[in-house]
Amino acid sequence: MIVADAENCAGIQSYIPYAQCGGAGASEEQKMAPTRRLPRGPSAFIPVEEILQQGPETIEEQQLSLEVSASGRPDNVMLVMGLHPDYLSSFWKMQGLLLRVDGPLPCPWRHYIAIMASARHQCSYLISFHMAEFLQVGGDPEWLLGIHRVPQKLRNLNEINKLLAHRPWLVTKEHIEALLTTGEHSWSLAELIQAVVLLTHYHSLASFVFGCGILPEGDPEGNPSLQVPSPSSGQSSPPNGDPLGSSGGFDAVREVEALMERMKVLQECQLQEEAASQEEMENRFELEKSESLLVAPTSDILELTPSPDVLCFVEDPTFGYEDFTRRGTQAPPTFRAQDYTWEDHGYSLIQRLYPEGGQLLDEKFQVVYTLTYNTIAMHSGVDTSMLRRAIWNYIHCVFGIRYDDYDYGEVNQLLERSLKVYIKTVACYPEKTTKRMYNHFWRHFRHSEKVHVNLLLLEARMQAALLYALRAITRYMT
Amino acid sequence: MEKMARVTTALGGNTLTGRTMYCHLDAPANAISVCRDAAQVVVAGRNIFKIYAIEEEQFVEKLNLRVGRKPSLNFSCADVVWHQMDENLLATAATNGVVVTWNLGKPSRNKQDQLFTEHKRTVNKVCFHPTEAYMLLSGSQDGYMKCFDLRKKDSVSTFSGQSESVRDVQFSIRDYFTFAATFENGNVQLWDIRRPDRYERMFTAHNGPVFCCDWHPEDRGWLATGGRDKMVKVWDMNTNRAKEIYCVQSIASVARVKWRPECKHHLATCSMMVDHNIYVWDVRRPYIPSAMFEEHRDVTTGIVWRHLHDPYFLLSGSKDSTLYQHIFKDASQPIERANPEGLCYGLFGDLAFAAKESLVTSDSNRKPYPGDRRHPIFFKRKLDPTEQFESVSSSALSVFETEPDSSSMGWFVDTARRYALAGRSLAELCDHNAKVAKELSRNQVAQTWTMLRIIYCSPGTVPSANLNHSIGKGSASLPLMNSFNLKDMASGMGSEARLDRSKGENRSENILLDSSTTLITNDENEETEGSDVPADYLLGDVEGDEDELYLMDHENAHTEEPEYVLPQEAFPLRHEIVDNPSGPDHLQDKADSPHVSGNEAETVSLTPVESFSLISISHTLSESRLPPDFFSTLVRDMLRFYAEQGDVQMAVSVLIVLGERIRKEIDEQTQEHWYTSYIDLLQRFRLWNISNQVIKLSTCRAITCLNQASTTLHVNCSNCKRPMSNKGWICDRCRQCASTCAVCHHVVKGLFVWCQGCSHGGHLQHILKWLESSTHCPAGCGHLCEYT
């Protein structure tokens, strides 16, 4: 038997959103449990049944085995990720390491960095979550009033935060140098690595949150300002909630068939000809890059006016993603993937400065890269590696990373335009994602497959930003 | 560069001469390879593909193979290899997955010979067969290895590694048909070139990718592998299972490994990231490289020994766009800079000391360490006489074992367990602790406690008459500290008169003592006179009350004549003082009263003096009613003394017991330092409870907050039996208040007891009461709860 002193918890309680609605919570739960209302699912895009298909049991068991610890509630991100349990476990291990396990940075700082990173994409879901966590680990409430209240050292992170979030290719050795040069507010290399991992982790997690339309937990009415700018409120969503239902229609089926066909053709022709000349390959990459200019979402469908409680964590809020190739301007040189790979270089560097982090990141990238159920929509037993690679490389392409050994013509063949629009939006300006975009691509695919795309997005984006940051650090060190 | 050595080696008819030199390349190199005659080197990279002639003084560019208006990706080389049989034949692996062969004998400017576009991903490695002219092997990121016959347009066979990414392929130098392939998942596979369906053997060599491997040029069974896990391993493949025979731990992931020609145990490595140096290791000496080349400013990407049979020339290419020729003579030898001595404490207090043998032997006639029981053992290691560095490699290791008794910390544990630090009055605490110390025969400590009692408790609780009385009666504690007490007091007293008086007395006593050795009785008479108590009474009491305290004197006391009891009693006490000069006080004491210090030399005769003067002084002390503050500097010094001696236990215990009385005398930082040291010690001895008590009792903020940090308690929700998040009373899952009492159904605030079996529980009192009458859980879940 264990004797616990429950009184200790009393002080903390007031900070926890749940505690406030605690009394009502129980009865409410009972009402809701049997017939969960549709809008109260974890995601605005995905119907609740879809997520609970796995059964809440598995998710909770999952959680048990994960020792998710401190914040160990099955929050909505986790519920949605739970569609891919293998990935979920390595994701939570990583997040646990970043936030809770002993490391170079003090805990409140980590949460604050998470807030700063999420604020770049105005992801109020993550911000409010980490504000609570921040207070709980003993952070100074003053800091939450805005970025101007935090120590200079933390504020120095702003620049790199901004770049990593929107234009990671601009991160240079000078930025790293500026942070590391000895002085009153200087960072140590180990701290910086953790901060960089945290930043990229939260930038891409924000992508996931928007990409899957994650809703805030708890009170359904909630504070409207804390609500994800869920487009479902603005637009009457087309009645295609269930992709396997009738509404998808014949067209969608045909799309899938066509995609399968193209994949088969590509696979065959790869074995046969490989006629494309080098110049053409080069051109195809350039084409893909510049085309990504065009797939920008029809601008300003949803011009957000970020709420002040988000803006206070952001400096230079107008800074955003700018297309990698701008006509007329001097384009930054293409990042050659083979010259600085995660497996060889990135890992080796992180391993040196943040060993546990390197290990878990490596695992996570590997899990997501190899994750497959060999299914495409209603077909099973399909080798999807080609499709996955196309998505991964397309995301990297959007961030200016080029693989020498990849024919970017494949991207064009395999990824339909609506998917490209969606990928580009979620990767580059996730706050502009709408439910329509989500519904529009891969209309006949399962939701879990769309979540899979989002996982690829999350990780590819994180790896891209990390590679740029780590390359800058390597250059600084040599 | 001028002072660099110039080396000439004769190799049959062929001589190699040269010096350490370098040349700038236009672009970072990815790989280099050398021609069979050791006169030319090819450098390949993303934007470079050139052949340089190695001349005596410099590299001279011979040929640029990168031709054409718009260089295609086929020129973007990940690897390059020069055929060892045919000096016109080269092969490159391109990052876009193409394998290209080059024929230098072609008359045209473009030497490109054949193009194999069979791999789907980047080709990481190409390798020519060591003896067969037309056989080329490639390993690619797509997980396949392909064997090409250069006379044909396509590959002759494809080997599937069944996994991601082949990182390296190497033909065995001796076995005609065998090649080794290393993989990103940490495996190494051995293949027979004739059997493309299945590998012959596979084993896991590294944790994480294996970046490189190299067959030993002479020993057919040896394969060296290097991986991202920073290790270089040497495998003996002759046995049925690949056996790891050597392992070298580097400081960064190993990108290339190359056996050194003509040196059986040497190999060169370079790393992929962070570390720019090239190391040459003796695999038998895995902790320190035997040579190191530090010229490069960015990571080294390619290393190759210039000639198959010459161990002194190493060529290297790097990302810093330079090509170097390193001469072994110019290598830096880290061994010279390394500290040749090592010292380490073992778990049980043993001490190991390793040093160069020469150092140890020259010192061997030195007096051994006092705690040393076993004599030093010498381990000698001799290397091949042909090897370099033999002079430094023989070293000696001495192990000093401490005697079990001397190293035993039993007293520490006992003391920690038995000391009382709080909860009683100061006097009681002091008495108790003095008693504990005495029982562990730590007399000085015992006396200190008694002394503290007197200093801080006497004026209030023990009136002057009482004090004398107690001396006379021989109360349990007082006699113990008499002599000790005296000394400190004497020095502590500021009053001239009193000092004079004690001096005077001492002097007179000295005279007396000097003149006669039988003055003890006389002396004693004086003392008893002073205390107005008959001597017999005193002695009798002492015997009766102090049996347990005076264990050492016990037998003596029984056998001695009554008159001699007092001196006997004083002996050990006196002894304490001589043994333990109590820091500055003592010195000052000496200075003030030279006679006293003079007396110390005479051991026996002195004791009466002290016991005598004790009376008078304690008399005056109590009369003048000095405030306890008066002694605080003294006590402070005493604590410092103990702490410096290593007995931080005493310092902390006194600090806690005295609390406010002494706390302000010692600066916070010192206190904190003591506390942390003591707590650390306690925890090493697993005295968790005591360390916790100390933390709780400490007044340092930094210490008390130790208990508030990272103390996590995992509980289950009593409704759903799942672990609770530790953030309150509401279970996240079932949204109910988790900590309700199973008996009264109210929320428990305060002490909560719960069963780890069924997660039910409640108010401590309620549960206790319930379990008195029933063995089942009060919640009715049927669990048989146990309260322990």
Side-chain angles (χ1 to χ4, degrees):
Chain A
M1 289 225 174
I2 291 176
V3 178
D5 189 359
E7 214 113 65
N8 276 348
C9 310
I12 299 161
Q13 237 195 350
S14 57
Y15 292 124
I16 305 160
Y18 275 177
Q20 290 154 358
C21 61
S27 55
E28 189 185 50
E29 169 70 16
Q30 276 158 359
K31 261 188 286 164
M32 264 168 51
T35 55
R36 283 217 189 202
R37 278 296 217 283
L38 230 166
R40 276 307 298 136
S43 160
F45 297 170
I46 309 167
V48 119
E49 305 84 52
E50 194 70 28
I51 288 159
L52 296 181
Q53 233 175 15
Q54 301 265 335
E57 280 309 307
T58 50
I59 290 166
E60 284 181 23
E61 266 158 35
Q62 189 76 36
Q63 190 196 4
L64 280 185
S65 64
L66 292 178
E67 321 167 33
V68 168
S69 69
S71 78
R73 58 176 126 152
D75 55 25
N76 289 341
V77 168
M78 198 158 153
L79 280 170
V80 175
M81 270 187 197
L83 290 169
H84 303 276
D86 292 343
Y87 174 77
L88 179 69
S89 78
S90 69
F91 178 85
W92 278 100
K93 258 190 266 173
M94 184 69 214
Q95 177 146 315
L97 176 85
L98 278 178
L99 294 178
R100 284 179 279 280
V101 178
D102 281 348
L105 288 172
C107 274
W109 280 55
R110 303 183 197 183
H111 288 290
Y112 201 85
I113 290 173
I115 295 173
M116 285 167 68
S118 323
R120 283 298 338 168
H121 288 306
Q122 299 141 36
C123 182
S124 45
Y125 169 82
L126 290 173
I127 294 176
S128 54
F129 179 81
H130 284 285
M131 275 164 80
E133 293 272 316
F134 173 77
L135 291 172
Q136 207 209 328
V137 296
D140 183 354
E142 275 277 296
W143 293 15
L144 295 183
L145 296 178
I147 192 85
H148 53 283
R149 299 293 185 98
V150 304
Q152 183 62 40
K153 181 174 168 183
L154 202 47
R155 244 181 304 161
N156 286 344
L157 218 52
N158 259 323
E159 180 69 15
I160 201 169
N161 178 20
K162 186 175 83 180
L163 293 180
L164 284 175
H166 306 296
R167 300 175 210 169
W169 54 89
L170 293 181
V171 177
T172 60
K173 156 182 158 182
E174 283 72 33
H175 292 113
I176 305 296
E177 212 167 348
L179 286 170
L180 293 176
T181 34
T182 47
E184 202 185 337
H185 309 295
S186 77
W187 287 74
S188 79
L189 209 45
E191 287 172 333
L192 183 66
I193 289 274
Q194 198 189 9
V196 163
V197 177
L198 265 169
L199 286 173
T200 52
H201 180 90
Y202 276 94
H203 293 147
S204 34
L205 188 56
S207 279
F208 182 83
V209 167
F210 285 109
C212 295
I214 305 287
L215 290 173
E217 299 97 351
D219 203 3
E221 282 85 27
N223 183 352
S225 72
L226 286 182
Q227 201 94 28
V228 174
S230 150
S232 58
S233 55
Q235 305 147 337
S236 59
S237 55
N240 62 345
D242 182 2
L244 291 177
S246 52
S247 59
F250 189 60
D251 279 355
V253 181
R254 261 214 329 244
E255 272 171 31
V256 178
E257 300 298 341
L259 178 63
M260 298 273 293
E261 192 57 37
R262 279 198 299 273
M263 280 174 69
K264 206 184 274 171
V265 170
L266 270 178
Q267 230 142 16
E268 276 159 13
C269 75
Q270 243 188 358
L271 295 177
Q272 287 167 5
E273 31 129 26
E274 191 74 30
S277 76
Q278 295 313 309
E279 287 75 23
E280 201 178 328
M281 300 289 267
E282 185 96 32
N283 289 341
R284 283 181 187 170
F285 175 73
E286 294 302 329
L287 189 77
E288 211 49 58
K289 259 198 327 189
S290 45
E291 194 174 299
S292 72
L293 281 174
L294 306 173
V295 300
T298 38
S299 59
D300 314 345
I301 338 165
L302 201 78
E303 201 43 75
L304 290 167
T305 41
S307 64
D309 22 343
V310 170
L311 269 183
C312 66
F313 298 113
V314 183
E315 266 177 18
D316 191 5
T318 51
F319 189 90
Y321 176 84
E322 191 172 77
D323 283 295
F324 187 73
T325 32
R326 273 261 160 128
R327 290 186 187 85
T329 54
Q330 175 76 40
T334 304
F335 187 115
R336 301 298 189 126
Q338 270 84 356
D339 288 354
Y340 200 97
T341 62
W342 164 257
E343 286 79 15
D344 300 359
H345 307 91
Y347 174 87
S348 300
L349 181 64
I350 288 208
Q351 183 65 14
R352 197 180 171 89
L353 298 163
Y354 189 34
E356 309 89 343
Q359 196 61 47
L360 289 182
L361 276 172
D362 196 41
E363 268 175 46
K364 192 161 66 110
F365 288 140
Q366 240 167 45
V367 166
V368 84
Y369 200 80
T370 56
L371 184 71
T372 180
Y373 308 97
N374 294 319
T375 56
I376 283 189
M378 56 288 198
H379 302 276
S380 58
V382 188
D383 179 11
T384 58
S385 60
M386 193 178 255
L387 190 56
R388 283 181 285 130
R389 193 161 166 232
I391 294 172
W392 184 275
N393 287 357
Y394 180 66
I395 299 160
H396 276 187
C397 166
V398 163
F399 286 105
I401 297 178
R402 178 182 174 192
Y403 290 83
D404 283 345
D405 54 356
Y406 188 69
D407 174 6
Y408 285 83
E410 280 182 24
V411 169
N412 234 358
Q413 305 229 23
L414 296 177
L415 307 188
E416 58 188 46
R417 200 185 140 77
S418 51
L419 175 58
K420 278 191 195 170
V421 170
Y422 178 77
I423 288 178
K424 175 118 194 251
T425 312
V426 174
C428 303
Y429 10 76
E431 59 276 15
K432 293 188 184 161
T433 316
T434 64
K435 181 161 185 179
R436 209 174 54 194
M437 283 180 199
Y438 178 84
N439 286 329
H440 213 67
F441 80 93
W442 277 8
R443 271 177 289 170
H444 218 71
F445 282 62
R446 274 172 248 202
H447 281 293
S448 75
E449 285 169 324
K450 294 191 173 190
V451 172
H452 189 172
V453 171
N454 271 292
L455 295 182
L456 284 168
L457 259 167
L458 189 164
E459 293 303 333
R461 181 181 175 195
M462 178 167 183
Q463 196 182 70
L466 261 183
L467 284 176
Y468 277 112
L470 293 176
R471 189 177 63 165
I473 292 174
T474 310
R475 285 185 177 161
Y476 165 79
M477 287 170 76
T478 53
Chain B
M1 285 298 152
E2 285 312 309
K3 61 182 192 306
M4 295 282 187
R6 178 178 301 267
V7 180
T8 309
T9 334
L11 291 163
N14 202 346
T15 50
L16 282 187
T17 59
R19 60 186 185 100
T20 296
M21 59 184 184
Y22 74 102
C23 77
H24 276 293
L25 310 172
D26 313 324
N30 275 347
I32 63 173
S33 186
V34 73
C35 179
R36 182 180 51 162
D37 62 7
Q40 293 179 77
V41 59
V42 58
V43 182
R46 175 173 288 283
N47 294 311
I48 184 173
F49 189 21
K50 283 181 180 172
I51 291 178
Y52 287 86
I54 311 165
E55 299 187 348
E56 238 179 78
E57 296 292 331
Q58 62 194 338
F59 291 102
V60 176
E61 184 180 329
K62 288 271 284 199
L63 190 61
N64 188 356
L65 291 159
R66 231 178 125 77
V67 291
R69 273 167 293 128
K70 197 170 184 237
S72 81
L73 273 179
N74 293 348
F75 290 102
S76 163
C77 304
D79 191 32
V80 63
V81 62
W82 204 316
H83 203 299
Q84 291 305 301
M85 304 295 290
D86 181 351
E87 58 190 33
N88 277 330
L89 199 53
L90 287 147
T92 57
T95 50
N96 63 352
V98 179
V99 175
V100 192
T101 59
W102 309 80
N103 187 353
L104 300 181
K106 266 192 171 183
S108 67
R109 239 182 102 231
N110 189 351
K111 311 283 186 194
Q112 185 172 324
D113 195 17
Q114 267 183 295
L115 211 63
F116 301 100
T117 52
E118 294 189 27
H119 285 294
K120 282 185 220 146
R121 306 280 306 267
T122 299
V123 177
N124 287 320
K125 200 79 186 176
V126 281
C127 176
F128 278 115
H129 195 278
T131 51
E132 200 61 41
Y134 300 105
M135 205 186 280
L136 175 68
L137 190 66
S138 66
S140 155
Q141 197 78 10
D142 61 11
Y144 292 100
M145 295 141 277
K146 286 179 190 285
C147 184
F148 303 97
D149 185 328
L150 301 186
R151 293 162 294 193
K152 294 182 185 168
K153 271 184 73 184
D154 296 316
S155 62
V156 266
S157 43
T158 300
F159 310 87
S160 167
Q162 305 289 349
S163 85
E164 276 268 302
S165 308
V166 184
R167 296 310 298 244
D168 199 357
V169 283
Q170 291 290 338
F171 274 111
S172 166
I173 291 167
R174 301 286 151 144
D175 291 327
Y176 185 87
F177 295 111
T178 308
F179 72 89
T182 72
F183 290 84
E184 204 146 85
N185 59 8
N187 288 341
V188 173
Q189 295 178 354
L190 287 196
W191 289 81
D192 187 317
I193 201 84
R194 296 162 296 186
R195 289 195 57 196
D197 53 328
R198 213 189 126 71
Y199 52 81
E200 302 282 296
R201 283 158 88 173
M202 178 166 85
F203 60 94
T204 302
H206 290 265
N207 182 13
V210 190
F211 287 138
C212 52
C213 65
D214 195 31
W215 290 94
H216 197 283
E218 295 150 42
D219 200 315
R220 76 168 52 192
W222 285 15
L223 179 72
T225 59
R228 195 174 68 178
D229 59 0
K230 306 175 190 172
M231 311 258 226
V232 180
K233 293 181 179 173
V234 179
W235 304 87
D236 184 355
M237 313 293 272
N238 289 322
T239 46
N240 246 346
R241 283 174 55 96
K243 204 175 88 194
E244 181 187 327
I245 43 176
Y246 295 109
C247 177
V248 173
Q249 176 82 53
S250 171
I251 58 167
S253 45
V254 181
R256 303 263 192 255
V257 56
K258 287 274 179 253
W259 287 100
R260 187 176 174 202
E262 313 284 317
C263 295
K264 195 181 174 198
H265 290 102
H266 284 201
L267 48 80
T269 66
C270 65
S271 86
M272 180 157 277
M273 275 294 285
V274 191
D275 185 21
H276 314 328
N277 301 335
I278 302 164
Y279 301 103
V280 178
W281 302 87
D282 183 325
V283 288
R284 293 161 301 176
R285 200 157 193 226
Y287 303 108
I288 190 157
S290 66
M292 189 160 100
F293 300 102
E294 302 167 295
E295 280 84 2
H296 285 298
R297 299 272 75 88
D298 201 340
V299 281
T300 311
T301 46
I303 48 174
V304 60
W305 295 95
R306 189 169 156 195
H307 193 275
L308 271 179
H309 297 288
D310 183 295
Y312 301 111
F313 292 85
L314 181 71
L315 299 170
S316 70
S318 157
K319 282 242 155 112
D320 64 3
S321 308
T322 56
L323 173 67
Y324 258 94
Q325 169 169 273
H326 309 277
I327 306 295
F328 222 78
K329 284 255 171 64
D330 295 329
S332 74
Q333 301 183 354
I335 193 83
E336 284 170 356
R337 279 178 272 153
N339 181 0
E341 283 92 32
L343 184 71
C344 188
Y345 260 118
L347 185 60
F348 301 106
D350 297 354
L351 183 74
F353 173 66
K356 254 160 117 172
E357 200 173 19
S358 50
L359 283 178
V360 179
T361 41
S362 66
D363 272 0
S364 61
N365 50 0
R366 204 176 43 189
K367 219 171 73 178
Y369 179 70
D372 158 22
R373 202 180 51 174
R374 199 204 298 164
H375 278 291
I377 315 159
F378 291 92
F379 292 111
K380 247 189 210 175
R381 201 171 61 117
K382 268 276 189 226
L383 293 181
D384 285 357
T386 55
E387 294 286 347
Q388 295 185 328
F389 314 129
E390 55 176 313
S391 54
V392 280
S393 56
S394 78
S395 52
L397 174 71
S398 331
V399 177
F400 301 95
E401 235 180 32
T402 41
E403 285 171 66
D405 301 341
S406 67
S407 68
S408 139
M409 289 289 280
W411 62 269
F412 177 87
V413 177
D414 266 3
T415 317
R417 285 227 177 87
R418 290 166 60 189
Y419 265 1
L421 299 178
R424 283 185 260 173
S425 74
L426 178 60
E428 278 173 304
L429 290 176
C430 288
D431 285 350
H432 176 88
N433 293 344
K435 198 171 145 196
V436 169
K438 192 74 207 171
E439 279 168 27
L440 295 166
S441 46
R442 301 174 68 217
N443 293 325
Q444 190 196 0
V445 173
Q447 282 185 342
T448 311
W449 280 113
T450 323
M451 186 174 86
L452 286 171
R453 179 200 140 102
I454 292 199
I455 292 174
Y456 288 99
C457 305
S458 342
T461 57
V462 191
S464 60
N466 206 352
L467 182 66
N468 276 345
H469 197 59
S470 65
I471 290 172
K473 277 188 171 174
S475 90
S477 57
L478 263 174
L480 297 180
M481 44 74 70
N482 283 350
S483 54
F484 192 71
N485 196 6
L486 157 78
K487 289 210 73 132
D488 284 339
M489 283 177 185
S491 63
M493 303 285 175
S495 154
E496 282 285 322
R498 222 171 284 126
L499 254 181
D500 281 351
R501 184 179 155 194
S502 73
K503 273 184 189 171
E505 276 172 3
N506 281 349
R507 198 173 295 126
S508 61
E509 285 303 323
N510 282 341
I511 297 161
L512 278 172
L513 287 169
D514 287 347
S515 59
S516 146
T517 50
T518 56
L519 262 173
I520 293 164
T521 45
N522 184 16
D523 191 23
E524 192 172 289
N525 285 341
E526 275 184 52
E527 182 177 349
T528 47
E529 269 167 35
S531 61
D532 288 329
V533 176
D536 288 355
Y537 186 31
L538 164 80
L539 297 169
D541 234 37
V542 165
E543 264 192 86
D545 285 348
E546 295 179 8
D547 269 357
E548 24 169 17
L549 297 182
Y550 278 109
L551 289 177
M552 283 162 65
D553 292 335
H554 192 66
E555 286 165 78
N556 288 342
H558 275 293
T559 52
E560 293 290 332
E561 293 279 84
E563 287 103 335
Y564 290 105
V565 169
L566 194 53
Q568 279 296 340
E569 169 197 333
F571 275 0
L573 303 182
R574 169 66 205 140
H575 201 63
E576 287 289 322
I577 289 173
V578 176
D579 267 0
N580 298 294
S582 42
D585 307 13
H586 191 69
L587 292 174
Q588 191 195 348
D589 190 11
K590 277 182 178 171
D592 281 355
S593 51
H595 287 281
V596 173
S597 52
N599 284 340
E600 282 175 2
E602 308 147 295
T603 47
V604 185
S605 57
L606 187 68
T607 44
V609 183
E610 304 240 345
S611 16
F612 168 73
S613 44
L614 157 78
I615 307 300
S616 52
I617 285 173
S618 46
H619 218 63
T620 47
L621 161 71
S622 39
E623 275 165 5
S624 62
R625 296 225 173 103
L626 282 165
D629 276 356
F630 182 81
F631 298 101
S632 51
T633 49
L634 200 66
V635 174
R636 183 193 66 206
D637 290 342
M638 184 268 296
L639 290 184
R640 290 237 167 94
F641 161 75
Y642 275 113
E644 266 160 38
Q645 275 214 326
D647 189 359
V648 75
Q649 180 178 49
M650 184 66 186
V652 171
S653 303
V654 171
L655 206 56
I656 291 175
V657 167
L658 292 183
E660 286 302 324
R661 297 176 186 86
I662 189 67
R663 198 158 68 89
K664 51 194 176 300
E665 289 294 320
I666 297 162
D667 60 295
E668 190 87 349
Q669 228 169 351
T670 318
Q671 288 190 34
E672 194 184 319
H673 182 63
W674 290 351
Y675 273 119
T676 44
S677 316
Y678 187 40
I679 289 162
D680 187 43
L681 270 174
L682 287 172
Q683 289 178 346
R684 270 173 197 242
F685 284 101
R686 304 181 176 201
L687 301 165
W688 311 112
N689 287 339
I690 295 152
S691 91
N692 211 33
Q693 193 194 9
V694 169
I695 292 172
K696 218 170 156 185
L697 289 173
S698 77
T699 42
C700 275
R701 193 175 305 144
I703 300 301
T704 42
C705 72
L706 279 182
N707 261 358
Q708 291 154 13
S710 63
T711 311
T712 319
L713 197 65
H714 297 281
V715 289
N716 287 347
C717 169
S718 59
N719 295 318
C720 61
K721 298 188 189 172
R722 304 226 185 269
M724 292 256 291
S725 65
N726 53 3
K727 290 195 297 190
W729 302 336
I730 311 291
C731 173
D732 291 331
R733 259 168 229 87
C734 51
R735 303 279 168 86
Q736 287 197 11
C737 207
S739 50
T740 49
C741 176
V743 179
C744 68
H745 298 286
H746 286 292
V747 177
V748 186
K749 294 187 178 181
L751 282 182
F752 184 79
V753 59
W754 64 288
C755 170
Q756 283 174 282
C758 66
S759 306
H760 294 119
H763 293 104
L764 180 59
Q765 290 306 319
H766 292 170
I767 297 290
L768 275 180
K769 211 188 255 171
W770 177 274
L771 288 175
E772 273 169 19
S773 55
S774 166
T775 51
H776 286 270
C777 175
C781 68
H783 187 258
L784 287 169
C785 298
E786 253 180 67
Y787 180 81
T788 45

